[in-house]
Amino acid sequence: MSITVPAPDPALAAGLDCPLTVLDLDGTRLPNELLDPHLTDIDEHALTNLYVDMVRVRRLDVEAFALTRQGHLVLWPPLLGQEAAQVGPARALGEKDWVFGSYREHGFALLRGADMGEFSRIWKAYAHSGWDPQEIRMAPSQIIIGAQSLHGVGYAMAAKMDGADEVALTAFGDGATSEGDVNEALVWAASFQAPVVFLCQNNQYAISEPVGLQSGVPLALRPTGFGIPSMRVDGNDVLAMHAAARIAIDRARTGGGPTFIEAVTYRRGPHTTTDDPKRYRDEAEVEAWTAKDPIERVERALARCGANMEAVRAEAKIRADQLAKEFRAACEHAEPPTADEIFDNVYAQPSRRLERQRLEHRAFVSSIEAKA
Amino acid sequence: MKTFLLPDLGEGLTDSEIVAWKVAEGDTVELNQPLADIETAKAVVELPSPYEGVIAKLHAGEGETVDVGAPLIDFDLGDDDGAAPAAGMTAAGMTDAAATTDAVATTDAPGPVGEEPDVVSAPASAPETNVAAQAEAVAADDKPEKISVLVGSVTVHGGKPTRSKRTWDVEPFERAALEHTQRRGPNRAMPPVRKLAKDRGIDLQSVRPSGADGLVTRADVEGAGTASAASAASALAAPASTREKVTGLRKHTAAAMTKSALTVPHAATFHQVDVTETLALAKSGDASFLALASRAILLAAKRWPEVTASFHADTNELERFAHVNLGIAVSTDRGLVVASVDQAETMDAAQLTAQIKDRAVRAREGKLSMEELTSSNITISNVGVFGVDGGIPILNPGESAIIALGAIRKLPWNHQGEIVLRDVCTVTVSFDHRVLDGREAAGFLADIAAVLERPALALAR
């Protein structure tokens, strides 16, 4: 097989000069040739749903952050500011499609239907994967930077071979685009025209390293070098993200191959609960991005539509508070795994050697108990 | 009432400092309301309230360091659900629960698996067999170190992740041979076995290991206990070693010396000096020998000003000071301190005598100000009071030279062409080789020596 890799091609990328936007900061609807045809069915009701989703995602994130400080969770990578970049694409996916995300994809997890009790176990360090990946069609949180892009492409290639009507969306950050894994994934996706969507949430920092140090060109230009079309989208605009994801997913589903979406957004919180972002960025920068808040923007848009914002906010708050309460209760009541369970998930099938080790371990534990 | 225990706010932290309280006792607080700013080794973080209720008691004041797992705040929740500390908040609880569950599971199913002949049977009635020791766990003697990675932490042993050796397919006699060739380094044992040895006062290194891979087993330790019961008993009475927590000045000194020794390239130079005349001067006048030696150092420092400079490695800068702030190393009951006599070059020997005495007295009373403890830019250490001739002192952090004065001894000496008994003292200069080269250090030391040998020279300098 011969593989042709074209040079970076700005013609393959949309939004290089200015990220694609359909909702202005003040909530006005901006016309956009590329995205508009994919938003014709979005009415006030649909926008309200996206709004409530974002409020719930944020509430979950804020509650989990507090729970970490209170000793209930071991660690939490917050997504504050990235709600639209996750909710827009998550709501564009079909039920059978798959998500392969990083460790910050709480919005996807919530909207794919992860059980909060199971979800909390990941961040209590009680479980490697809180949810059943097959059940909600979302792979476990990937800690290795960018590795999930290969998993996503692999799944998509298999789906194509099987003739299955499934699309894989792999979500990662700006830092992951500097990793070999993501570049390899782009090569394979392009060569096999895999039905995959690369969602890069460019939140401006790879932990403490600003994106400008990683790339002199917009990240959306990189995939064009692999022959993959891309879109650079305002990641704080839930409608633009929704439309871009719809374009990419449709293309994948109809045999058009992979698409890369760069969601230009901002991580307003620390990298994780053990990070101190004050050491590497200015408060003014955070404030500037807070002014571009994805949720407030939709509130303004809904108000312009004439929605009863008081009722919408009240409804969103009730549902968000309920979610937070449910998550807190799950965290407080989660039971730690027993050491014996270590042996359960090493192999799919039990092996004699492992069973022997399990017994040796039990004997060892009982020898301590007996002597104590 | 609920007691909130300080959680681990980083990954693997042992304590945190309360920077500021945002609430007071008696305040009513909401869930997740900010209660305090807390500083960990990693960041200052905000603590959100874990409960909705009234603050009944704050267990620590601002500026205090609290251990992870120690009570931080009592909450009055307005109900009577007991005064038990909030459960599930500490990792310790989790470990206990896990251990207990395991033990129960063990008695339920102790038998062999399948019919494979080489499966090791592990009856619960004979738990002291070496079965446990043969398990493939890692029991390195080195203390695991936690290293932060991107979004978590990894525990490493001795600088690199350890991995157990593959032993399952090795025949016993091969294993013995392997043991013989592979065994190196100190004896290893499982943590509970190490604890057993420690409790019984048995040195693990004196026990002959019989476990797989050279592990010392519980039986080995117990056997050693029987064999040398007498020595074990005496060992119990007087343990081979004890450990105590290092705090306060000792801890500070340890940190400062480690930093200095590890970050500064030290070099040193020595000179035996005939101080007979200076000593005579000290005995006849108001000035102490130490003050006169200080004068000699100050005169030499005037000629070699770099000796009081400070090297800043982070910015690659050399900081020079307008004055010589002479640090006097004082040994106190609580440890070593360096007290500064600021602008010492402006003082005469009598003033220096008084100032040095003042610093020594107040150092022993613990009454020196932070300024006096930190402002020196060169240090003099009179190790001679301990009867020794010298040593290579470690620099006070931030300084470029430290002078050690040895004991003054009567030695046969070549004096004006004849061998006579003279008062001789070894002077050592330890210096920062980034700031000073051997030439400067030697020149500085030679100038000190010249004045000590002929105090009258001071008139000319």
Side-chain angles (χ1 to χ4, degrees):
Chain A
M1 179 195 314
S2 74
I3 297 173
T4 332
V5 179
D9 180 3
L12 274 179
L16 280 186
D17 300 328
C18 177
L20 304 174
T21 308
V22 296
L23 274 186
D24 207 359
L25 284 190
D26 62 5
T28 44
R29 186 76 160 66
L30 302 171
N32 186 295
E33 250 178 63
L34 183 64
L35 302 182
D36 281 346
H38 302 272
L39 291 171
T40 49
D41 61 327
I42 303 293
D43 55 7
E44 183 193 322
H45 178 71
L47 188 57
T48 306
N49 282 346
L50 290 171
Y51 170 77
V52 173
D53 283 341
M54 286 198 289
V55 172
R56 289 176 72 227
V57 168
R58 176 169 296 182
R59 188 71 178 82
L60 172 67
D61 182 61
V62 168
E63 192 72 11
F65 196 96
L67 281 161
T68 311
R69 293 281 183 254
Q70 290 156 359
H72 284 295
L73 300 180
V74 176
L75 183 79
W76 183 256
L79 59 71
L80 182 67
Q82 299 176 222
E83 294 87 353
Q86 293 190 15
V87 168
R91 284 306 188 203
L93 286 167
E95 214 165 272
K96 283 187 156 183
D97 296 334
W98 268 77
V99 175
F100 295 82
S102 76
Y103 44 79
R104 208 185 297 282
E105 260 59 85
H106 317 309
F108 279 102
L110 179 67
L111 300 186
R112 292 305 283 179
D115 176 81
M116 286 301 106
E118 292 177 343
F119 184 45
S120 71
R121 295 177 68 79
I122 304 170
W123 301 101
K124 288 179 86 76
Y126 284 179
H128 293 303
S129 171
W131 57 76
D132 177 352
Q134 300 290 347
E135 191 188 321
I136 67 167
R137 300 185 88 74
M138 176 164 171
S141 301
Q142 180 53 258
I143 296 289
I144 309 300
I145 304 300
Q148 71 275 19
S149 60
L150 289 168
H151 308 158
V153 170
Y155 189 91
M157 286 166 60
K160 189 177 178 183
M161 284 181 198
D162 288 353
D165 180 29
E166 294 170 24
V167 172
L169 179 145
T170 174
F172 47 88
D174 44 295
T177 63
S178 304
E179 296 270 347
D181 282 4
V182 170
N183 289 272
E184 291 161 26
L186 290 166
V187 169
W188 284 82
S191 299
F192 285 82
Q193 287 297 292
V196 62
V197 178
F198 293 94
L199 171 62
C200 171
Q201 291 168 72
N202 175 2
N203 68 13
Q204 310 298 327
Y205 285 92
I207 306 190
S208 57
E209 177 141 313
V211 68
L213 279 178
Q214 302 176 57
S215 178
V217 298
L219 298 180
L221 190 58
R222 287 184 164 179
T224 66
F226 299 88
I228 294 176
S230 78
M231 287 175 273
R232 188 157 170 263
V233 185
D234 181 343
N236 285 16
D237 176 350
V238 72
L239 283 188
M241 286 305 301
H242 192 57
R246 279 179 163 186
I247 292 172
I249 292 165
D250 285 350
R251 180 180 293 151
R253 213 184 293 289
T254 54
T259 306
F260 186 101
I261 300 171
E262 178 192 355
V264 181
T265 180
Y266 193 78
R267 184 195 83 215
R268 272 148 63 185
H271 169 68
T272 69
T273 38
T274 62
D275 172 42
D276 183 1
K278 291 190 188 81
R279 297 190 191 181
Y280 54 82
R281 70 184 188 192
D282 282 343
E283 205 54 33
E285 187 184 283
V286 181
E287 278 165 23
W289 278 94
T290 305
K292 300 180 196 169
D293 187 79
I295 295 182
E296 284 175 13
R297 195 186 296 198
V298 175
E299 279 193 16
R300 291 187 199 111
L302 282 170
R304 278 176 185 274
C305 294
N308 178 354
M309 278 319 291
E310 220 165 278
V312 171
R313 277 197 204 99
E315 164 76 12
K317 187 175 183 318
I318 288 169
R319 296 190 51 192
D321 286 350
Q322 178 59 34
L323 173 67
K325 211 171 149 186
E326 188 190 328
F327 188 65
R328 175 172 288 270
C331 287
E332 287 174 355
H333 296 117
E335 287 291 328
T338 63
D340 209 42
E341 289 172 36
I342 291 169
F343 299 94
D344 287 342
N345 299 315
V346 181
Y347 297 114
Q349 304 290 327
S351 81
R352 280 190 309 202
R353 182 194 303 154
L354 207 61
E355 284 307 313
R356 189 182 72 195
Q357 286 178 16
R358 186 201 295 268
L359 286 182
E360 287 171 357
H361 175 258
R362 283 183 187 166
F364 173 63
V365 171
S366 82
S367 82
I368 301 169
E369 291 291 310
K371 295 282 171 180
Chain B
M1 186 80 79
K2 284 268 193 193
T3 301
F4 176 67
L5 312 176
L6 178 72
D8 176 0
L9 293 166
E11 291 165 73
L13 300 178
T14 55
D15 58 31
S16 299
E17 184 185 320
I18 311 300
V19 177
W21 284 110
K22 298 182 176 185
V23 291
E25 287 174 6
D27 285 1
T28 302
V29 295
E30 291 175 9
L31 183 69
N32 294 344
Q33 177 182 333
L35 299 179
D37 284 333
I38 295 184
E39 181 160 19
T40 71
K42 298 187 174 182
V44 175
V45 302
E46 207 169 58
L47 178 71
S49 178
Y51 304 112
E52 194 178 303
V54 178
I55 305 283
K57 183 173 162 64
L58 301 177
H59 285 273
E62 292 180 355
E64 277 184 45
T65 299
V66 181
D67 286 340
V68 168
L72 186 63
I73 307 166
D74 287 348
F75 288 88
D76 191 346
L77 303 186
D79 50 17
D80 293 318
D81 64 348
M89 292 271 184
T90 60
M94 178 184 122
T95 315
D96 288 345
T100 313
T101 320
D102 261 9
V104 172
T106 307
T107 44
D108 286 342
V113 176
E115 286 158 16
E116 190 193 12
D118 74 344
V119 163
V120 177
S121 162
S125 56
E128 66 271 17
T129 52
N130 295 346
V131 168
Q134 288 166 9
E136 288 180 73
V138 174
D141 272 343
D142 52 356
K143 195 182 170 196
E145 183 190 357
K146 261 195 157 185
I147 291 183
S148 289
V149 292
L150 299 178
V151 286
S153 64
V154 63
T155 303
V156 298
H157 298 258
K160 58 181 178 191
T162 54
R163 209 174 157 166
S164 56
K165 287 197 185 75
R166 297 165 62 101
T167 56
W168 55 80
D169 49 3
V170 179
E171 293 297 320
F173 67 90
E174 287 178 320
R175 189 181 293 165
L178 271 177
E179 256 176 51
H180 184 71
T181 52
Q182 289 181 344
R183 276 290 316 285
R184 55 181 106 84
N187 277 350
R188 303 178 307 141
M190 297 279 194
V193 176
R194 288 212 298 274
K195 182 176 187 308
L196 177 73
K198 194 176 163 191
D199 288 349
R200 298 195 174 184
I202 294 169
D203 179 5
L204 213 53
Q205 303 312 318
S206 69
V207 179
R208 199 170 157 269
S210 69
D213 232 8
L215 279 187
V216 174
T217 66
R218 180 170 287 276
D220 295 339
V221 172
E222 281 166 349
T226 334
S228 58
S231 66
S234 66
L236 269 182
S241 72
T242 62
R243 284 185 184 212
E244 58 182 290
K245 203 88 187 155
V246 173
T247 56
L249 195 53
R250 189 72 251 156
K251 187 175 162 188
H252 175 79
T253 305
M257 289 301 100
T258 305
K259 186 178 171 220
S260 181
L262 292 184
T263 58
V264 178
H266 281 67
T269 173
F270 317 98
H271 198 330
Q272 276 194 316
V273 187
D274 176 355
V275 297
T276 313
E277 285 184 37
T278 302
L279 197 59
L281 193 59
K283 282 174 178 162
S284 68
D286 304 328
S288 66
F289 177 78
L290 185 57
L292 292 171
S294 298
R295 284 287 299 150
I297 290 166
L298 291 162
L299 288 169
K302 201 165 85 180
R303 296 176 142 214
W304 305 95
E306 285 83 7
V307 298
T308 60
S310 185
F311 189 82
H312 296 277
D314 47 348
T315 52
N316 269 316
E317 286 176 322
L318 192 63
E319 183 180 7
R320 292 193 171 80
F321 299 96
H323 296 285
V324 180
N325 295 343
L326 185 65
I328 311 295
V330 184
S331 175
T332 74
D333 294 342
R334 294 170 301 118
L336 182 73
V337 299
V338 174
S340 177
V341 177
D342 287 357
Q343 303 191 20
E345 83 282 6
T346 64
M347 299 177 186
D348 61 27
Q351 284 171 314
L352 276 174
T353 306
Q355 291 291 325
I356 290 170
K357 191 175 170 192
D358 165 77
R359 297 298 184 278
V361 169
R362 287 197 293 128
R364 284 177 186 128
E365 290 170 349
K367 286 183 179 165
L368 290 167
S369 69
M370 190 43 76
E371 176 66 20
E372 287 169 308
L373 286 170
T374 54
S375 64
S376 63
N377 49 33
I378 188 167
T379 295
I380 178 167
S381 177
N382 190 15
V383 297
V385 297
F386 303 120
V388 299
D389 293 323
I392 301 177
I394 294 176
L395 289 161
N396 202 21
E399 297 179 8
S400 292
I402 179 167
I403 301 98
L405 299 175
I408 300 169
R409 304 189 189 284
K410 287 246 183 256
L411 290 181
W413 203 254
N414 174 3
H415 181 64
Q416 295 172 356
E418 287 178 42
I419 294 189
V420 290
L421 283 181
R422 300 286 288 177
D423 295 300
V424 176
C425 169
T426 301
V427 181
T428 305
V429 172
S430 208
F431 59 98
D432 183 341
H433 213 320
R434 296 171 302 182
V435 180
L436 304 168
D437 289 332
R439 190 183 75 89
E440 285 89 3
F444 173 60
L445 180 53
D447 278 355
I448 296 171
V451 174
L452 286 174
E453 274 176 7
R454 292 176 58 204
L457 257 187
L459 287 175
R461 287 183 178 176

